[in-house]
Amino acid sequence: MRRASRRLASLEHACRCVGGPLEPIPVEKDAVRRHLGFATWSGNIYYLGRRADVGALTDEDISLLRQVLPEVKELVVLGRSNTDVILQLAETMLPLTLAKGEVLAEQGQPDDNMYVIAKGDVLLDVPRAGRVEPERRRVSQGSYIGAECLLGNTPHKCSAIAQTSCRLLRLNRATFDSIILSQSAETEDDEDSDEDDEGDGDTCAASQLVNIFVLSDSTGESAKASVKTAAAQFEYCSGSTCATSRATVYRFVRSATEIKTIVEAAKKCNALLVYTIMDPKLHQVVVDECKAKELECIDLWGPLLATFEKRFGAKRSGKAGRRQAVSDDYMTIVKAIEYTRKVDDGVLPHLWDECDIMLIGPSRAGKTPLSFYLAQRGYKVANYPLVPEEEPPKELFELDQQKCFALQIKPERLQEIRTQRMKQFNRSNTKYANLTNIKKEVSWIKNFYLRKGPKWPIIDTSNAGVVETAARIMEILDRRKGDAVAASYQSSMAV
């Protein structure tokens, strides 16, 4: 991405862009590379507001935002907010322009903003599981980019570049937080003033944002997953944890200096520090620094490792982050991923007999992401999308039927997924996403399962994520394996 300082000929030009003098602000040193809205001058970094000279919001902008914001699936809290809150958010959004070919976002790079397209076309490069080349999609008016960035220190999940000159509307994370949290505070005040309630059925209302710093000397994935799982227990507070908490992950921490800097930053924003540090010396630095700063912290692995030491009668190794060895298990996973990529979406049926798992179900029931999740656990997975009145290849019925798992999904949920898919292609009112047609399709598929696969386990993916569905499949496989071992043992005993 081109630096703003290279794009602007002088500080005077920058001043004209924002309509007045600039004040230097502290930002991290690589922000200039990541955001078009920064420029450097005399050693200082200035925020230019990303072409803030494009005028004020119009009535058309507000009307568009009132339609789009409640439909942002990543921000569940918006779907449950009243129209006044949506209008308040819309009115605080800032217009900006992009020239053709200008980069709006880079996959993997952090940002503080979500963007709604008001005019023009933007190309998205969306990573695809198991494939090197991303999927290129064109999105236009009403589409949004970077909603995940408002959830915390989460990077863009895809890259975005202007295909034409564009006008976009930007929502800043700080603005989002302040409005959503003030809404929660008002709700709390209303509940407190209700004398008839007397505390019955109280839940809670988030009155302030809870920052959580996750500190690890390895990838931090296990700690991040644990924090996310724990935070999910408090979703009832506002309908989505995105409105009440934000996790920042610091990975591969290797020095006392890094730890001191992170603890200082956590203290400034009153964050809860969750850490998984294996090295005894660095572990002690965390303990000492948190105590000195009076910072609340949680040693996620400490109690478990201490218990293990007692049980094993040995000391922990203290090695940070076990590296992935190129073992037989590792190569099994690599081969499984390659196989799953090769046979994705019903292709190459002559290879299906090699699979460990065959997933069957309607289009958009979640077969592909589920396949690759299972592949990362060493299973060779094939999948076949059922189409009404279309007979599947004979290979589907020639392979071991115990490998087959049937996926089903409620029509309303399937319509929601397909409608979102069609929006990405700027299409609506298609037969593919028509509820009446989907109900007929789901009914046909249920009858197909009864006729062709009466022994296939049927798993409903309507309200289940990939991890939960995969766990159900692996549980069935483990149970079958256990039954086979038991049967073999009983047979040997009989002999």
Side-chain angles (χ1 to χ4, degrees):
M1 187 182 293
R2 293 174 299 172
R3 296 193 178 193
S5 56
R6 294 176 182 173
R7 212 171 14 124
L8 302 177
S10 65
L11 183 59
E12 287 77 13
H13 184 84
C15 290
R16 287 197 297 272
C17 282
V18 296
L22 298 173
E23 293 294 334
I25 59 172
V27 295
E28 56 185 302
K29 62 183 179 181
D30 63 342
V32 176
R33 181 178 64 83
R34 293 203 307 259
H35 297 292
L36 299 176
F38 288 94
T40 57
W41 186 263
S42 299
N44 291 320
I45 299 176
Y46 298 85
Y47 181 59
L48 306 179
R50 249 197 211 267
R51 305 274 187 84
D53 59 336
V54 296
L57 288 170
T58 65
D59 291 340
E60 289 78 9
D61 292 334
I62 297 296
S63 178
L64 175 67
L65 292 172
R66 292 179 72 172
Q67 295 178 47
V68 173
L69 291 179
E71 300 299 324
V72 180
K73 61 182 180 180
E74 292 88 347
L75 307 178
V76 180
V77 68
L78 294 186
R80 303 188 180 188
S81 298
N82 59 45
T83 54
D84 290 340
V85 173
I86 297 299
L87 179 60
Q88 188 178 357
L89 279 171
E91 290 176 339
T92 60
M93 293 178 69
L94 297 175
L96 62 100
T97 59
L98 287 183
K100 179 180 179 180
E102 197 165 10
V103 176
L104 175 67
E106 292 184 36
Q107 191 268 331
Q109 292 293 343
D111 196 350
D112 290 334
N113 305 293
M114 180 185 82
Y115 308 93
V116 175
I117 303 174
K119 291 182 182 178
D121 297 323
V122 174
L123 287 178
L124 303 181
D125 283 340
V126 183
R128 294 185 291 181
R131 302 186 184 183
V132 176
E133 293 298 323
E135 176 186 354
R136 176 150 287 191
R137 302 174 187 168
R138 182 175 64 87
V139 293
S140 54
Q141 186 183 47
S143 298
Y144 57 87
I145 300 162
E148 63 277 1
C149 296
L150 295 186
L151 301 180
N153 292 288
T154 304
H156 282 287
K157 61 184 180 183
C158 62
S159 297
I161 185 171
Q163 187 181 28
T164 65
S165 58
C166 297
R167 187 171 187 274
L168 301 106
L169 308 171
R170 183 186 66 209
L171 175 59
N172 183 263
R173 184 198 298 171
T175 303
F176 174 80
D177 288 344
S178 63
I179 292 176
I180 293 300
L181 294 178
S182 65
Q183 174 197 11
S184 300
E186 290 172 5
T187 302
E188 184 177 28
D189 292 340
D190 291 341
E191 290 177 353
D192 290 342
S193 64
D194 189 351
E195 297 179 354
D196 296 330
D197 187 47
E198 295 183 358
D200 293 337
D202 280 351
T203 55
C204 75
S207 58
Q208 65 180 40
L209 179 70
V210 177
N211 274 298
I212 303 171
F213 281 22
V214 178
L215 181 62
S216 174
D217 49 10
S218 185
T219 65
E221 289 302 310
S222 61
K224 179 183 177 182
S226 297
V227 167
K228 184 177 180 179
T229 301
Q233 291 293 317
F234 302 91
E235 287 183 350
Y236 65 85
C237 289
S238 61
S240 170
T241 54
C242 71
T244 57
S245 67
R246 175 177 297 129
T248 304
V249 183
Y250 295 90
R251 312 173 195 272
F252 303 110
V253 174
R254 290 290 187 267
S255 68
T257 301
E258 288 180 271
I259 292 173
K260 292 177 181 178
T261 301
I262 294 167
V263 170
E264 180 67 29
K267 181 63 177 179
K268 287 182 179 179
C269 61
N270 192 31
L272 168 66
L273 185 71
V274 179
Y275 62 96
T276 55
I277 301 293
M278 297 297 107
D279 183 276
K281 294 181 179 179
L282 294 181
H283 184 279
Q284 191 59 47
V285 172
V286 176
V287 173
D288 293 343
E289 286 297 311
C290 289
K291 184 177 181 181
K293 299 290 184 181
E294 297 183 342
L295 178 69
E296 187 175 6
C297 62
I298 297 174
D299 181 0
L300 201 58
W301 289 109
L304 177 62
L305 290 172
T307 301
F308 272 26
E309 285 180 335
K310 292 179 181 178
R311 284 285 181 171
F312 289 131
K315 290 291 184 180
R316 71 193 78 175
S317 68
K319 293 181 180 179
R322 183 173 58 86
R323 292 185 178 273
Q324 182 76 60
V326 184
S327 61
D328 290 342
D329 289 342
Y330 178 83
M331 293 309 300
T332 296
I333 292 173
V334 171
K335 291 176 182 178
I337 293 174
E338 177 59 23
Y339 172 85
T340 301
R341 181 196 64 78
K342 190 183 300 182
V343 300
D344 184 37
D345 206 27
V347 302
L348 303 180
H350 65 281
L351 297 178
W352 289 355
D353 61 342
E354 299 178 22
C355 75
D356 301 311
I357 298 170
M358 165 60 80
L359 302 177
I360 305 108
S363 172
R364 312 310 297 178
K367 297 183 297 301
T368 294
L370 178 59
S371 296
F372 282 100
Y373 182 88
L374 288 165
Q376 291 174 14
R377 278 134 191 88
Y379 295 96
K380 292 182 176 180
V381 187
N383 69 78
Y384 180 77
L386 287 174
V387 178
E389 310 304 333
E390 182 179 291
E391 189 68 18
K394 58 182 177 57
E395 287 85 353
L396 178 62
F397 307 104
E398 292 174 350
L399 61 84
D400 182 354
Q401 296 297 283
Q402 284 211 325
K403 296 179 178 180
C404 296
F405 291 82
L407 305 184
Q408 70 177 17
I409 185 170
K410 293 178 180 178
E412 293 77 14
R413 176 58 179 154
L414 187 55
Q415 183 201 29
E416 180 184 344
I417 295 171
R418 288 183 177 179
T419 299
Q420 290 297 325
R421 177 65 170 170
M422 290 298 97
K423 282 183 179 179
Q424 295 172 355
F425 297 102
N426 297 312
R427 297 178 62 189
S428 60
N429 300 322
T430 62
K431 292 182 179 180
Y432 180 68
N434 179 271
L435 183 57
T436 301
N437 291 336
I438 289 175
K439 286 182 178 179
K440 292 179 181 178
E441 180 181 346
V442 170
S443 178
W444 181 89
I445 288 173
K446 287 181 179 179
N447 290 328
F448 176 87
Y449 290 158
L450 291 173
R451 289 185 292 109
K452 299 290 189 176
K455 295 184 179 180
W456 297 348
I458 299 177
I459 299 176
D460 194 322
T461 63
S462 302
N463 299 305
V466 170
V467 177
E468 182 181 347
T469 305
R472 291 178 180 178
I473 292 174
M474 290 187 288
E475 179 187 13
I476 293 172
L477 293 174
D478 290 342
R479 186 168 64 245
R480 287 175 179 171
K481 188 182 297 183
D483 291 343
V485 171
S488 176
Y489 175 75
Q490 291 175 356
S491 176
S492 63
M493 292 296 291
V495 173

